[in-house]
Amino acid sequence: MNGRPSTVLIVGATGSIGRHAVAEALSQGYAVRALVRDQARAARLLPEGVDLVIGDLTRPDTLGPAVEGVDAIVFTHGSTTSEQDVRDNDYAGVANVLRAVDGRRARIALMTAIGTTRPGVAYAQWKLRSERLVRASGNPYTIVRPGWFDYNQAGQRTIVMLQGDRRQTGSPKDGVIARDQIARVLIDSLHLDAADHKTFELIADYGPAQDDLTTVFHSLTPDSAGSLDAPEDVINLPLDREPETFRHDLATISAGNDTAEG
């Protein structure tokens, strides 16, 4: 990676994962910016020293100040399991921020969910499409698909990364992970070369937390250059059958990548 990022934007900063991500980023020495809709509420929830920038993920015209000058972006926002909510917030938020970056390079960490590749699940497909946009953006990135929150047992602190998204029961049987562990992996990924172009499911196993996640990231297969999907995923979403909204977003974000490379 060409240098460790210094200023990170947390999207979804006041959410249950975002607050942990803010704390983790501060503890790791980053200058932290938070995209928030309600400054007063954010000031109550977030620590001092966080740069609060007003903006709305669903309103692209408000996002310029949030992305100006940042060299890393961590997406922790999430809504419901409604297709409309995920399309209009989770997915559109990623698309709008990537467009706002306008071809400038930024290290990306995107949180989606375990089971994102489940066939025929409409809301999951929109999360999958947000992953595709990040891969097409040309930025260095890490895509994290956490297991179920709040089901950890005492002593489940060892980070485990899986690939292929084979655990699809839609229940905690797929694996569990604590919110602070998710935040740690997202923030660690920003400065580890071994995390670049990696997509994985994230769960916890019994045992102590690793001091350094480099070897865990190294064990993963990187995403193939030019591919929209992770290498071990089983996905049947042909591009010519994708919604027009996605194909338009993909074209504009890919074009920004081409412009930056040129």
Side-chain angles (χ1 to χ4, degrees), residues 75-92:
F75 292 98
T76 65
H77 65 298
S79 54
T80 70
T81 56
S82 153
E83 179 185 6
Q84 180 176 340
D85 286 349
V86 176
R87 181 193 63 209
D88 296 347
N89 294 283
D90 302 25
Y91 166 82

Side-chain angles (χ1 to χ4, degrees), residues 95-198:
N96 291 338
V97 169
L98 290 177
R99 270 196 294 267
V101 171
D102 195 25
R104 289 182 287 107
R105 285 288 174 262
R107 187 66 169 83
I108 305 292
L110 170 66
M111 181 187 77
T112 58
I114 199 167
T116 294
T117 67
R118 280 180 291 170
V121 180
Y123 80 87
Q125 290 176 343
W126 283 103
K127 286 184 178 292
L128 194 62
R129 292 177 183 119
S130 71
E131 294 185 358
R132 286 178 155 188
L133 293 183
V134 168
R135 295 190 188 97
S137 72
N139 290 293
Y141 68 83
T142 304
I143 296 174
V144 181
R145 299 166 170 169
W148 288 68
F149 311 160
D150 297 333
Y151 290 89
N152 281 51
Q153 300 297 314
Q156 282 185 292
R157 299 301 298 174
T158 298
I159 296 293
V160 177
M161 299 177 186
L162 309 171
Q163 290 184 293
D165 201 23
R166 300 292 191 266
R167 300 187 178 194
Q168 300 186 351
T169 68
S171 78
K173 294 179 181 177
D174 295 333
V176 300
I177 188 78
R179 297 169 198 264
D180 67 307
Q181 292 174 303
I182 299 169
R184 185 234 172 150
V185 170
L186 289 167
I187 301 303
D188 277 12
S189 75
L190 300 178
H191 66 269
L192 294 176
D193 289 338
D196 188 17
H197 282 68
K198 301 287 177 64

